[in-house]
């Protein structure tokens, strides 16, 4: 079986041979963009090269980038445990051209790597292009010999990438793999596209335009390429699996999770193990970079992910903290590629243990309260916002944890009610505070607290000019 590590190096070696500088992953906490919460694609560390603000002594690069998508514009937290293809932490393989090669080479590289080096059956591959991008469609026909019905034209923003409200942008082409008609899901662009039959493996962006604030768009002088392929997704198909969670590394973590909770990895608790394995990776990588659980900003995203995993461990019947006991398995699986895991192992273990000890003090009572609240409601009614707020405020349940708990029961939270309860409490705190101190000063403090968005990270969504790949 080709291991995750082999696939990563095959990719980097392939592009290395094609004249690309092999660059190491940048940290998850972006150093060049304070408005961005976590790196969520390979291009993040190269933003200034695409805009021309910075130049380096290479015009082609390739990376395997650590990514976290658990907040802001790209939030895959709710997908974990439910889809075959989403993680909160994953590695994005990418090749980049900074004003060097463009469409024809980018497509030819991708096709050669997939069908020759990786040996993927070309009859299982199909692509999308932006509906006006005849050039890309023609190249696909020429390079890959794909018939028209496997070059799908998409008119939505899914196939038009923007770095931000202004700046470089352009059409993209996405490569999909057909896992077979025994799996539910439809062609890209169809109503069933969210199924897991046709899985997007690679996204190639053609940066060819510049968007200005006045709404005009002009051709870019420097045309660039930005691509991203999910390492776990390509690994799944190369390992003959459909599901990302069946690949070597994820499977080892799922087995470790089953081990510490004395449960069956493939039994009814499988969803819990998937969540635990995924969240173990994202939390450990974040802690290794010095992000610690807190009630705001990045630390709160971390806390949300940690506590979510801890609730799933609790549902598996674990009485004692377990997350920290999984760290050795993660270090064993990924420590060679990411030495920060081994170096940070003690910090990761201690942080997970402290948080789990702390959360366990209120978890039981919170879950009991949740059950009592639900018992008093009609079968399909949403949980009132006030109750969700009490769980948040008194029992330390992040809103998405409560939503996750309710989703299993097919129920939702009245989020408007939650926001209203939150606003009411802030107003009360403000009133109490202004009685003691200087009113103007405290108002400023609360505005800052509001902007940093302790619950929903609005600040992140609105401030960030982040790039989707
Ligand atoms: P999807 O539509 O499946 O959610 P996407 O279009 O959001 O994927 P991109 O932003 O294009 O993904 O990211 C580039 C590549 O990174 C994708 O083609 C996919 O292979 C991989 N990828 C994206 N999100 C995830 C995730 N949450 N977990 C694992 N791999 C991912
Ligand atoms: Mg997505
Ligand atoms: Mg997509
Ligand atoms: Mg995409």
């Amino acid at each position: 079986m080709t291991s995750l590590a082999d696939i990563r190096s095959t990719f980097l070696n392939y592009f290395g041979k094609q004249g690309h500088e092999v660059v190491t992953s940048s940290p998850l906490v972006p150093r060049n963009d304070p408005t961005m919460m976590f790196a969520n694609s390979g291009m993040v560390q190269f933003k200034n090269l695409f805009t021309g603000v910075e130049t380096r002594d290479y015009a082609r690069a390739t990376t395997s980038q650590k990514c976290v998508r658990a907040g802001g514009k790209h939030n895959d937290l709710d997908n974990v445990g439910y889809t075959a293809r989403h993680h909160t932490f994953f590695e994005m393989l990418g090749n980049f051209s900074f004003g060097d090669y463009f469409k024809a080479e980018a497509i030819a590289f991708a096709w050669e790597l997939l069908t020759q080096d990786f040996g993927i059956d070309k009859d299982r591959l199909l692509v999308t292009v932006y509906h006006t991008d005849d050039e890309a469609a023609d190249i696909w026909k020429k390079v890959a010999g794909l018939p028209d019905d496997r070059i799908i034209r998409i008119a939505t923003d899914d196939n038009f990438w923007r770095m931000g409200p202004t700046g470089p942008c352009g059409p993209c082409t996405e490569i999909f793999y057909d896992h077979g008609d025994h799996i539910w899901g439809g062609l890209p662009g169809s109503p069933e596209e969210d199924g897991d039959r046709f899985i997007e493996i690679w996204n190639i962006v053609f940066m060819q335009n510049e968007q200005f604030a006045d709404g005009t768009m002009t051709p870019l002088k420097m045309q660039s390429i930005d691509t991203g392929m999910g390492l776990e997704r390509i690994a799944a198909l190369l390992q003959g699996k459909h599901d990302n969670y069946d690949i070597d590394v994820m499977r080892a973590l799922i087995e470790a999770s089953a081990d510490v909770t004395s449960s069956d990895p493939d039994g009814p608790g499988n969803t819990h193990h998937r969540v635990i394995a995924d969240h173990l990776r994202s939390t450990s990588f974040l802690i290794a970079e010095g992000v610690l659980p807190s009630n705001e900003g990045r630390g709160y995203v971390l806390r949300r992910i940690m506590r979510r995993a801890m609730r799933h461990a609790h549902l598996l019947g674990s009485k004692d903290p377990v997350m920290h006991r999984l760290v050795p398995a993660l270090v064993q699986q990924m420590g060679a590629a990411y030495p920060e895991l081994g170096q940070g192992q003690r910090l990761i273990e201690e942080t997970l243990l402290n948080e789990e000890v702390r959360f366990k003090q209120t978890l039981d009572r919170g879950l009991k309260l949740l059950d009592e609240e639900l018992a008093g409601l009609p079968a399909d009614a949403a949980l009132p916002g006030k109750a969700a707020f009490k769980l948040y405020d008194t029992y330390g349940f992040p809103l998405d944890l409560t939503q996750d708990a309710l989703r299993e029961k097919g129920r939702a939270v009245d989020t408007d009610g939650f926001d209203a309860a939150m606003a009411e409490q802030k107003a009360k705190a403000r009133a109490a505070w202004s009685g003691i101190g200087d009113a103007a000063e405290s108002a400023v403090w609360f505005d800052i607290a509001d902007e940093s968005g302790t619950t929903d990270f609005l600040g992140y969504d609105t401030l960030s000019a982040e790039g989707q790949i």
Side-chain angles (χ1 to χ4, degrees):
M1 185 177 71
T2 334
S3 69
L4 198 75
D6 289 342
I7 297 166
R8 189 193 292 116
S9 56
T10 301
F11 183 95
L12 296 175
N13 288 340
Y14 173 84
F15 283 104
K17 269 189 272 165
Q18 308 292 345
H20 293 64
E21 180 87 6
V22 181
V23 178
T24 48
S25 171
S26 67
L28 284 166
V29 177
R31 300 288 190 266
N32 59 351
D33 185 353
T35 66
M36 188 170 193
M37 186 140 307
F38 300 122
N40 58 19
S41 72
M43 62 79 62
V44 169
Q45 68 166 320
F46 300 118
K47 265 188 192 173
N48 290 341
L49 277 82
F50 288 119
T51 53
V53 169
E54 188 192 335
T55 50
R56 296 196 190 152
D57 55 5
Y58 51 81
R60 302 175 172 201
T62 182
T63 59
S64 182
Q65 173 68 43
K66 302 187 276 187
C67 294
V68 166
R69 292 190 175 185
K73 200 165 79 183
H74 291 290
N75 187 354
D76 286 327
L77 197 54
D78 291 336
N79 287 324
V80 172
Y82 294 95
T83 72
R85 68 187 198 277
H86 289 105
H87 304 285
T88 56
F89 171 92
F90 63 100
E91 288 180 71
M92 196 185 284
L93 301 165
N95 58 292
F96 308 93
S97 152
F98 313 110
D100 191 42
Y101 63 84
F102 200 48
K103 270 182 211 182
E105 296 90 329
I107 290 176
F109 286 151
W111 190 251
E112 181 178 62
L113 176 62
L114 291 177
T115 57
Q116 291 183 27
D117 299 61
F118 285 143
I120 296 171
D121 175 2
K122 77 187 205 39
D123 292 336
R124 292 216 173 218
L125 295 169
L126 57 146
V127 303
T128 60
V129 296
Y130 192 54
H131 64 134
T132 55
D133 196 356
D134 295 331
E135 194 189 352
D138 287 345
I139 297 169
W140 274 119
K141 238 189 245 176
K142 224 187 287 157
V143 169
L146 288 177
D148 285 336
D149 65 346
R150 285 204 284 134
I151 304 176
I152 300 169
R153 289 175 184 256
I154 303 276
T156 66
D157 276 358
D158 272 354
N159 281 63
F160 197 89
W161 176 91
R162 293 165 199 279
M163 190 178 278
T166 59
C169 56
C172 40
T173 184
E174 295 188 327
I175 305 172
F176 286 76
Y177 182 80
D178 181 0
H179 280 269
D181 59 9
H182 58 294
I183 294 154
W184 184 81
L187 286 170
S190 76
E192 293 85 30
E193 76 171 328
D194 271 344
D196 279 325
R197 174 175 170 187
F198 297 95
I199 290 193
E200 175 189 330
I201 49 172
W202 204 343
N203 196 341
I204 301 173
V205 177
F206 309 121
M207 281 186 216
Q208 61 187 43
N209 302 104
E210 181 158 12
Q211 173 79 55
F212 293 94
D214 64 6
T216 54
M217 200 189 275
T218 58
L220 266 179
K221 267 192 231 93
M222 185 177 122
Q223 297 187 319
S224 294
I225 291 291
D226 159 26
T227 89
M229 171 157 67
L231 173 59
E232 297 79 0
R233 291 191 190 180
I234 184 77
L237 73 93
L238 293 177
Q239 294 180 6
K241 312 285 186 203
H242 163 245
D243 192 316
N244 277 19
Y245 290 81
D246 289 331
I247 64 173
D248 53 347
V249 166
M250 298 311 294
R251 186 67 201 171
L253 299 179
I254 284 173
E255 273 163 18
S257 166
D259 216 29
V260 299
T261 53
S262 309
S263 54
D264 177 358
D266 303 308
N270 178 257
T271 301
H272 303 314
H273 294 305
R274 294 162 73 96
V275 173
I276 290 168
D278 172 83
H279 291 8
L280 172 73
R281 294 210 307 169
S282 45
T283 56
S284 300
F285 272 95
L286 288 173
I287 298 166
E289 283 190 23
V291 180
L292 293 175
S294 77
N295 284 333
E296 56 188 27
R298 297 189 173 98
Y300 193 61
V301 177
L302 171 64
R303 172 161 281 161
R304 282 163 57 207
I305 308 173
M306 288 168 104
R307 293 195 168 190
R308 223 163 186 263
M310 288 161 189
R311 187 185 71 87
H312 284 274
H314 183 87
L315 292 180
L316 287 165
S318 67
K319 296 273 176 292
D320 297 317
V322 291
M323 290 300 290
H324 66 290
R325 291 174 54 204
L326 300 172
V327 179
L330 177 65
V331 174
Q332 195 191 357
Q333 290 297 319
M334 300 191 71
Y338 294 100
E340 65 266 39
L341 286 177
Q343 284 152 11
Q345 182 166 351
R346 275 201 45 197
L347 176 69
I348 299 168
E349 289 171 349
E350 276 167 22
T351 308
L352 283 168
L353 176 60
N354 287 341
E355 184 74 12
E356 200 162 357
V357 167
R358 206 170 142 176
F359 187 42
K360 273 201 176 292
Q361 291 165 0
T362 55
L363 179 58
D364 253 336
R365 279 181 291 145
L367 289 174
K368 218 169 278 162
L369 175 84
L370 181 59
D371 283 342
E372 284 163 14
E373 288 282 343
L374 291 177
L377 292 172
D380 54 355
L383 181 75
K386 265 202 163 64
F389 184 71
K390 187 168 182 196
L391 286 168
Y392 163 82
D393 197 37
T394 312
Y395 298 98
F397 280 34
L399 178 61
D400 64 85
L401 182 150
T402 303
Q403 288 169 319
D404 187 39
L406 288 173
R407 182 170 167 175
E408 291 153 15
K409 307 176 201 289
R411 303 175 73 154
V413 176
D414 166 17
T415 49
D416 289 344
F418 178 88
D419 291 343
M422 174 77 84
E424 192 185 320
Q425 198 210 39
K426 275 185 187 162
K428 268 193 210 144
R430 239 183 217 119
W433 185 255
S434 60
I436 326 165
D438 175 75
E441 198 178 298
S442 62
V444 170
W445 190 91
F446 276 105
D447 285 343
I448 292 169
D450 283 347
E451 271 166 32
S452 71
T454 48
T455 56
D456 53 10
F457 301 99
L458 260 184
Y460 174 40
D461 270 336
T462 50
L463 286 176
S464 171
E466 66 183 291
Q468 177 191 3
I469 201 264

